[in-house]
Amino acid sequence: MSDIEQRIGDSFRAQGLMATLGAQLAHVSEGEVHIELLFSLALSQQHGYVHAGAISSIVDSACGYAALTKAPRDHEVVTAEFKINFLRPAIGDRFVAVGKVQSAGKRLSVCTGEVRAFTDSKPEGKVIALMQATIANVAKTA
Amino acid sequence: MSDIEQRIGDSFRAQGLMATLGAQLAHVSEGEVHIELLFSLALSQQHGYVHAGAISSIVDSACGYAALTKAPRDHEVVTAEFKINFLRPAIGDRFVAVGKVQSAGKRLSVCTGEVRAFTDSKPEGKVIALMQATIANVAKTA
Amino acid sequence: MSDIEQRIGDSFRAQGLMATLGAQLAHVSEGEVHIELLFSLALSQQHGYVHAGAISSIVDSACGYAALTKAPRDHEVVTAEFKINFLRPAIGDRFVAVGKVQSAGKRLSVCTGEVRAFTDSKPEGKVIALMQATIANVAKTA
Amino acid sequence: MSDIEQRIGDSFRAQGLMATLGAQLAHVSEGEVHIELLFSLALSQQHGYVHAGAISSIVDSACGYAALTKAPRDHEVVTAEFKINFLRPAIGDRFVAVGKVQSAGKRLSVCTGEVRAFTDSKPEGKVIALMQATIANVAKTA
């Protein structure tokens, strides 16, 4: 396991919300991170589909960690802002959020994210949400 | 209790995610809804503050329900998209998300949201996040 | 020339702002439209680069026309909202905005856009801006 | 005239796009800037209303200059990103964009903007657009 995978794995396990949602870190590579979420009624909105907030949470984390793979040494990342479009209802057995770095600056990175929903009948998945996020690099305090 | 308070209360209690996060419906009036969240490590990001995703979840729900107070009869609402800026770390004992309708059309409403963090030493609160959201009205299917 | 190319060409020529900016319709296909802009000091911000507003204008039009290629018959499109990140200063001799439909619904489409800057020394171009837009379909009034 | 009014006036006059659109700097105070635009067919979209891009341009400049009133000395500002909702068609004789600082950090400011349309029959104006923008402070190079 590479240093950055280790570092992102440690950080992910320190995020109480990811455990509360039941999200798993699924993939880490240079500039790209995947987070997976299984359907649960504990994540639902009023119609029983997954709440936009749970979808936003996993793709925000995926974008943030993607940015971290490109951040300067001794820096951490925080989400300055994001925008997310919900293309269709979050119906599925399993959801995968993919965050990708589009531009990595010294201070700010811009990432795009997408979330796919998978069901037995749609094993190839359907894109249900698109994100565009600005992530700030912050120098670590000793 | 008015009809709309009743309807929003019922819908809120059907959102599994709000219970999972520990969020409470705090105020409903024409065009404005408040949702409250107490700090818990179950909501944290890697530094122990509340995760941007939990903050986004409550203010998304506050904006959606605010739009519902203005939606045509026999319609429901879904979030088409939102954008959120995080102004400072989500540090606090208690967070209140306020969603307000800025424009209510037949098909689309535009809402703004803000989230305030409260601590014993800052009883007046501090704005930690600002949202701008587009909510779609959808005719109820029988 | 296909019917949709004709229709978009006519609409584009009716946009006074595109003529004022000196923008040209460069490509129309199903779900994708390109608009080109040559550098001019008439488009500048205070440092002499192209103003974010001019860049936003061409990629907004590119996204809107891309959505129009997928809109139901007898409908027009209006931009409900967009979000744009500026990745680097708009320095170049020529700019091309590409709008692409990501999801086309009966009432709303979601498009992504990007703007590339070209110079003699960078003939392959550099992405300077990314957009994510929501376009509404509106029935034509007779 | 205060130093900041002078500085913003000089910068505004250096923006070729503002002159091309016919926009005027209308008000500068600590944390708030107004820019005015008169209707012209040179700014239109295909239905003869003002193009979303022209509206975005003036409110982007208003937000950027509002941020500049709060920026650290010897810093300039650039728009990192913005999001804008169009609440109704840009129909009017005169448009006023108001940019306000919501949060001013050392590196990033968050501003909100609104654009009002005025006609003889609506002298109080109508809000036609809402913006939420992230502005970066950049140290001046000598």
Side-chain angles (χ1 to χ4, degrees), chain C:
Chain C
M1 191 166 29
S2 73
D3 181 61
I4 189 70
E5 283 180 277
Q6 176 79 52
R7 187 175 162 199
I8 289 175
D10 290 348
S11 174
F12 188 90
R13 283 182 293 275
Q15 291 201 336
L17 184 67
M18 291 297 114
T20 299
L21 300 177
Q24 302 283 339
L25 187 62
H27 171 82
V28 173
S29 61
E30 175 86 2
E32 183 168 333
V33 167
H34 302 191
I35 294 175
E36 192 176 283
L37 186 69
L38 295 184
F39 175 78
S40 153
L41 275 176
L43 307 176
S44 73
Q45 36 82 290
Q46 69 277 14
H47 303 110
Y49 311 147
V50 176
H51 194 287
I55 296 299
S56 302
S57 297
I58 59 169
V59 61
D60 169 48
S61 275
C63 284
Y65 286 127
L68 187 57
T69 68
K70 298 274 204 177
R73 283 173 68 86
D74 302 321
H75 278 67
E76 305 195 76
V77 293
V78 297
T79 302
E81 62 82 38
F82 67 75
K83 182 258 205 283
I84 184 165
N85 276 82
F86 302 99
L87 310 188
R88 45 180 69 83
I91 301 174
D93 306 321
R94 193 168 63 90
F95 301 88
V96 178
V98 174
K100 285 186 193 178
V101 177
Q102 298 299 331
S103 163
K106 221 168 68 177
R107 291 178 165 199
L108 294 178
S109 295
V110 176
C111 296
T112 52
E114 81 175 27
V115 182
R116 277 176 186 271
F118 296 87
T119 57
D120 282 351
S121 61
K122 284 271 175 203
E124 73 288 8
K126 274 197 150 186
V127 178
I128 59 161
L130 290 178
M131 179 176 277
Q132 200 168 304
T134 309
I135 313 289
N137 297 324
V138 181
K140 267 190 211 168
T141 49

Side-chain angles (χ1 to χ4, degrees), chain A residues 1-2 4-9 12-13 23-37 58-59 61-69 94-101:
Chain A
M1 190 165 28
S2 72
I4 189 69
E5 283 180 277
Q6 176 80 53
R7 187 173 162 203
I8 289 177
F12 188 89
R13 282 182 293 276
Q24 302 284 340
L25 187 61
H27 171 84
V28 173
S29 60
E30 175 87 2
E32 184 168 333
V33 168
H34 301 190
I35 294 176
E36 191 177 283
L37 186 69
I58 59 168
V59 61
S61 275
C63 285
Y65 285 127
L68 187 57
T69 68
R94 193 167 63 89
F95 300 87
V96 178
V98 174
K100 286 186 192 176
V101 178

